[in-house]
Amino acid sequence: MAATPSVALGFLRSIGALDLRPYLSRVRAPVLVIRPEEDLVVPLEAARWLVDHLPDARLVEVPGTHFESVLPGGPVLDEIEDAIAGTRTAGAAARRLRVVLITDLAGSTALLERLGEDGWRRLLGSHREVVRAALARWSGTEIDTAGDGFLATLELPTHALRCAQQIRDVSGQGIAVRQGLHAGEVTLVADGIAGIAVHVAARVGAHAGVGEVLLTDTVLALVTGSRPPCEPVGARALKGVPGRWRLHRLGPAPA
């Protein structure tokens, strides 16, 4: 709408001639890559490739098409505000302080190959029962189940630590779970939760070893009274999240 057809064509051709791939490794600032789910201009594979080849980047998909998502009040502005300031002005009334729990089964591909599809389904069903029983006991809320992992929230940090312990200690039959915990503000959306706290919890979980529960300083700072033993494991850089984060390993439950 702002150009003649010939000018628009020249603009598109100039974009198509650009190749910034040799320069991606030089980018030092954290990068937020936003792609609308119904984008017919930029393929999802291209967005994922870009994130994989930048030193510090993360991908967020938002509802809408390539053009409508950037309109005033659209989801792109919410994501930019969240990444820079950790707030969402449009959704301020729907923000809550929560402990975010991320779980992931270690060695799931090897288990699938060893047990076969039927055995894997039974094992996965048993594991999900364990996680859901722990969430029910400690007043947790299941947000999403993607593949073999869980995204959940808990209101009290003490409950979150006890819940993670129970998941770790009850899981058996060759199952080992990695878990990550972080406390922060989340935005309640129609299909779950959003916000930087979710990404931090996921990155913390990615650092966990087999059968480990890792958590941030933030979780411990909110605990009042007695708490399970925790061992510091040092500061870590979390992919796509600025700064370095002091992490702790959750110890064994008291006898």
Side-chain angles (χ1 to χ4, degrees), residues 185-203:
E185 288 190 14
V186 299
T187 301
L188 308 183
V189 295
D191 56 349
I193 58 174
I196 192 66
V198 180
H199 301 291
V200 172
R203 299 295 185 254

Side-chain angles (χ1 to χ4, degrees), residues 105-108 110-112 114-115 120 123 126-127 168 170-177 210-211:
L105 278 184
S108 55
L111 282 171
L112 175 59
R114 179 166 60 87
L115 299 174
W120 167 249
L123 189 65
S126 175
H127 166 66
R168 179 196 63 195
V170 175
S171 297
Q173 306 177 49
I175 292 180
V177 188
V210 174

Side-chain angles (χ1 to χ4, degrees), residues 10 27 58 60 69 86 111 118 135 141-142 153 162 196 208 210 234:
V27 178
R58 63 183 177 91
V60 173
S69 61
L111 282 171
D118 290 341
L135 290 173
T141 300
E142 178 183 335
T153 61
R162 300 298 186 191
I196 192 66
V210 174

Side-chain angles (χ1 to χ4, degrees), residues 164-251:
Q165 274 185 330
Q166 182 174 330
I167 293 171
R168 179 196 63 195
D169 298 342
V170 175
S171 297
Q173 306 177 49
I175 292 180
V177 188
R178 296 185 178 94
Q179 299 182 73
L181 287 166
H182 176 61
E185 288 190 14
V186 299
T187 301
L188 308 183
V189 295
D191 56 349
I193 58 174
I196 192 66
V198 180
H199 301 291
V200 172
R203 299 295 185 254
V204 171
H207 279 277
V210 174
E212 281 189 337
V213 180
L214 293 186
L215 54 139
T216 62
D217 259 354
T218 314
V219 179
L220 291 183
L222 295 174
V223 175
T224 57
S226 62
R227 70 185 187 199
C230 293
E231 172 191 1
V233 296
R236 298 287 188 273
L238 306 180
K239 184 179 179 181
V241 183
R244 292 178 65 82
W245 296 71
R246 289 192 297 273
L247 304 183
H248 303 262
R249 182 184 297 110
L250 183 60

Side-chain angles (χ1 to χ4, degrees), residues 128-144:
R128 287 176 175 170
E129 289 179 1
V130 167
V131 175
R132 286 171 175 148
L135 290 173
R137 179 180 180 185
W138 299 106
S139 304
T141 300
E142 178 183 335
I143 303 298
D144 191 18

